[in-house]
């Protein structure tokens, strides 16, 4: 593996690689975004009634039912099957927990702990760390909380109609088909078609959270 051997050495090589992958491209730009966020946050007038964003037992239950089976557990060793097969009282307990978190505006640190697992990329060499992508195994309880928040904040999370990937109810196949038919139309008429594509492979790894919060503030989200 990239010229190294031994479990500990290989694990360290992966850790270094994924740390570099998730490092910002520009420290200057990151500092500018942080300054902009702090200024917007200081001037942001929020008169939200937190009671409006409390979750219900039904919403928690629906989030649990949406969990996919057969997924690897996170650092807490809990999987979706544990929640799906648990006593119904669990819905009420989680509802109280989530509502306490919302009212106190505090999320436990354990919700942010994840285990990074390297997954082989299709068509890439498995002898180099660059041939793997990282998958984060997060606590299943935090996933339920995320689903509840997504439901509450859905009106503020609209995406462009021109985005086809990474969203429910659509896919890149539609976009690829449209591009292909457009190219065929012009080439059949003897015209030259120039196509420009941008590889966004590491876009999610490089995403600056401050930039994300800036966008949410500009959308006047609660």
């Amino acid at each position: 593996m990239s010229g190294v051997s031994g479990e500990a050495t290989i694990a360290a090589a992966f850790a270094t690689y994924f740390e570099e992958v998730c490092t910002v491209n520009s420290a200057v730009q990151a500092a500018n975004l942080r300054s902009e966020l702090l200024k917007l946050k200081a001037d942001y007038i929020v008169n939200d009634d937190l009671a409006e964003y409390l979750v219900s037992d039904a919403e928690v239950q629906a989030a649990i039912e949406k969990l996919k089976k057969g997924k690897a557990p996170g650092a807490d060793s809990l999987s979706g099957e544990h929640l799906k097969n648990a006593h119904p009282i669990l819905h009420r307990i989680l509802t109280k927990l989530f509502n306490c978190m919302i009212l106190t505006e505090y999320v436990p640190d354990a919700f942010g702990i994840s285990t990074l697992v390297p997954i082989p990329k299709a068509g890439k060499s498995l002898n180099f760390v660059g041939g793997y992508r990282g998958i984060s195994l997060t606590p299943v309880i935090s996933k339920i909380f995320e689903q509840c928040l997504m439901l509450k904040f859905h009106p503020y999370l609209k995406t462009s109609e021109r985005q086809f990937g990474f969203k429910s109810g659509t896919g890149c196949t539609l976009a690829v088909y449209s591009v292909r038919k457009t190219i065929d139309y012009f080439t059949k008429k003897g015209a030259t078609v120039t196509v420009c594509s941008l590889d966004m492979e590491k876009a999610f790894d490089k995403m600056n959270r401050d930039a994300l919060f800036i966008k949410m503030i500009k959308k006047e989200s609660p």
Side-chain angles (χ1 to χ4, degrees):
M1 174 66 66
S2 296
V4 299
S5 60
E7 292 183 359
T9 308
I10 292 175
F14 272 120
T16 300
Y17 170 72
F18 287 123
E19 181 181 6
E20 293 175 349
V21 166
C22 296
T23 301
V24 297
N25 290 324
S26 171
V28 174
Q29 175 65 3
N32 291 337
L33 288 171
R34 166 59 56 147
S35 298
E36 182 181 354
L37 173 62
L38 293 177
K39 183 179 184 304
L40 288 173
K41 190 175 180 181
D43 298 335
Y44 198 43
I45 300 176
V46 181
N47 296 313
D48 298 314
D49 182 0
L50 292 176
E52 296 180 2
Y53 301 99
L54 298 181
V55 300
S56 65
D57 290 356
E59 290 170 338
V60 172
Q61 182 177 356
I64 292 177
E65 292 175 351
K66 287 183 179 180
L67 289 174
K68 296 181 180 179
K69 296 181 179 180
K71 296 295 183 179
D76 56 2
S77 298
L78 292 177
S79 65
E81 284 79 357
H82 286 105
L83 273 62
K84 284 178 173 291
N85 297 315
H87 191 280
I89 196 175
L90 178 66
H91 305 156
R92 185 58 182 164
I93 294 174
L94 291 180
T95 300
K96 290 184 176 181
L97 170 64
F98 296 159
N99 286 336
C100 284
M101 292 164 57
I102 292 172
L103 291 173
T104 59
E105 301 183 8
Y106 176 80
V107 178
D109 291 340
F111 273 38
I113 296 177
S114 63
T115 303
L116 193 63
V117 179
I119 303 296
K121 295 180 181 178
K124 299 288 186 179
S125 172
L126 303 184
N127 296 322
F128 300 93
V129 291
Y132 297 79
R133 60 189 179 92
I135 294 295
S136 293
L137 304 180
T138 56
V140 67
I141 302 297
S142 70
K143 291 182 181 179
I144 300 301
F145 185 54
E146 289 175 7
Q147 288 295 327
C148 292
L149 288 184
M150 288 290 289
L151 180 64
K152 296 296 181 181
F153 285 85
H154 180 72
Y156 303 93
L157 302 175
K158 300 295 183 180
T159 58
S160 171
E161 294 181 354
R162 297 176 180 175
Q163 177 184 340
F164 294 89
F166 302 104
K167 61 191 300 185
S168 177
T170 183
C172 292
T173 303
L174 298 173
V176 172
Y177 175 79
S178 299
V179 172
R180 180 60 184 270
K181 296 299 290 185
T182 302
I183 293 175
D184 289 344
Y185 174 82
F186 285 102
T187 53
K188 287 180 180 179
K189 293 182 176 295
T192 299
V193 178
T194 302
V195 179
C196 176
S197 62
L198 179 64
D199 184 1
M200 303 289 285
E201 180 183 8
K202 294 182 175 61
F204 286 98
D205 299 325
K206 294 289 187 179
M207 186 198 71
N208 187 294
R209 289 187 177 89
D210 290 341
L212 175 63
F213 293 137
I214 289 172
K215 288 183 177 294
M216 293 182 69
I217 288 178
K218 291 182 177 180
K219 287 178 176 287
E220 298 183 353
S221 63

